[in-house]
Amino acid sequence: MTASPSTADAHLPDFMRRDRSWHPPAYTPGYRTSVLRSPKCALLSLEQGPGEKTGPCFRADMLHELDNDLITNYAAATGSSGVALGERIIVHGRVLDECGRPVPNTLIEVWQANAGGRYRHKKDGYLAPLDPNFGGCGRCMTDAAGYYFFRTIKPGAYPWPNHGSDWRPAHIHFSIFGDAFAQRLISQLYFEGDPLIPLCPIIHTIQDERAIQQLIAKLDMGEQRPFDCLVYRFDIVLRGRQQTFFENKREGL
Amino acid sequence: MGEKPMPVEYLKETPSQTAGPYVHIGTLPAHAGLPVRQNETLNAIEAPGERIVVEGIVLDGSGAPVKDAMIELYQADSKGQVGEHTLWGRAAAMFETGELRFDTVRPGALAWRGGKMQAPHLTLLIFARGINIHLHTRMYFPEDEAAHQVDPALNRIEQVQRRKTLIAEKKKDGHYRFVIRLQGDQETVFFDM
Ligand SMILES: [Fe+3]
């Protein structure tokens, strides 16, 4: 994978500050692993420079044809013509910034458990079986209007040791780059109506119920693929650039 | 098309969630054991300039290695430019030891605001299970002492003894070690930028 040039402009406007009360704090004892992995000192606030206002820029041509199809991409990579087991879904939506502007040509990476709640990962030993036709790894890019989609199977819930056996609701992990390192974000997508959502200590690291709602994909029956796939809508918002009221125009502009 | 009016109601940024223990599946699938993208070596950055090795480890509040950490690197090229030669990388801690490594080039001094300069540094983002929102830190080079004296980030750190948490140890020429401490007496400085 190679990164190509992005806009190297020190004069780019700053990003709005991150609203840290909207994100989960570092120390959340309900999620026990955070206890020893949370800094105790306050974060150091610093203005952004060119190293924060630019970032890696990925090209669509680095993606493989099946990267956005988790139903077939693993089988194809292993020389099988099989398809993944489970409830077939498409996840789609737009990536916008806080000002409502689309974020085009940005890379989204996704990973998830299979329909039984098992990850294809060296460290996952859950007793649910691996699906020989499911890897759980995908990528896609937003188009010029910030729109993206990928096809997969709905992941299963799985247990994990926290307070005894806690259960993760069905979720898809996603990673997104935006235009600048300041916009970098990793989070998780949940599914509307999942009864495990109110019980999940990881979701409840987020203090504001409205912020939690932002992570819940909505069933989009209007877009269903008849006799094929259910569709979920999931929009993503990245940090927005501030308006610049007194920007010195560069020569020639 | 005319300029859109300034929005008075902003959208809220999508909240972060931990990358979890299986972050490698989506970001470094070969490390997770998936037989895809086997040839992808995101921790080896090819660019003109002086080659360097940066080895590192993330330690938790008990001093134990964070063996599931994933770190992303963003840096200026050897001439101090970002953008034109975007240098970005990604490395995973070894499951057995927590050690990780980047092979890259020594960055040049990067511009700062108002015509000032920053000392050469690597920007690092740390993702792991138990980290609810990624941690943003920087690694500086021990031999750049003069540049450190005027670096805007290092100078913003009021507790002078904490500045050294951002300065790597030089093992030998071109080989550095950087220990990131998430918590404790020598807690690394993390930024909100
Ligand atoms: Fe998970």
Side-chain angles (χ1 to χ4, degrees), chain A residues 36-41, chain B residues 57-64 66 71 126 131 135 137 162 164-167 169 177-190:
Chain A
L36 284 173
R37 295 185 172 192
S38 44
K40 293 286 182 275
C41 297
Chain B
I57 194 166
V58 181
L59 302 178
D60 74 11
S62 75
V66 175
I71 292 192
I126 299 134
I131 294 179
L135 298 169
T137 190
R162 294 197 72 212
K164 67 177 188 291
T165 68
L166 301 187
I167 297 168
E169 175 197 345
R177 181 169 178 80
F178 189 52
V179 180
I180 296 166
R181 294 178 174 85
L182 298 182
Q183 206 183 77
D185 292 345
Q186 301 175 76
E187 184 179 304
T188 300
V189 171
F190 298 105

Side-chain angles (χ1 to χ4, degrees), chain A residues 19 48 54 187 190 214, chain B residues 11-12 15 17 72 74 113:
Chain A
D19 179 355
Q48 297 143 18
T54 63
S187 191
Y190 304 97
Q214 223 177 332
Chain B
L11 302 173
K12 296 299 288 184
Q17 290 267 266
E72 288 186 0
Y74 187 58
R113 306 160 79 93

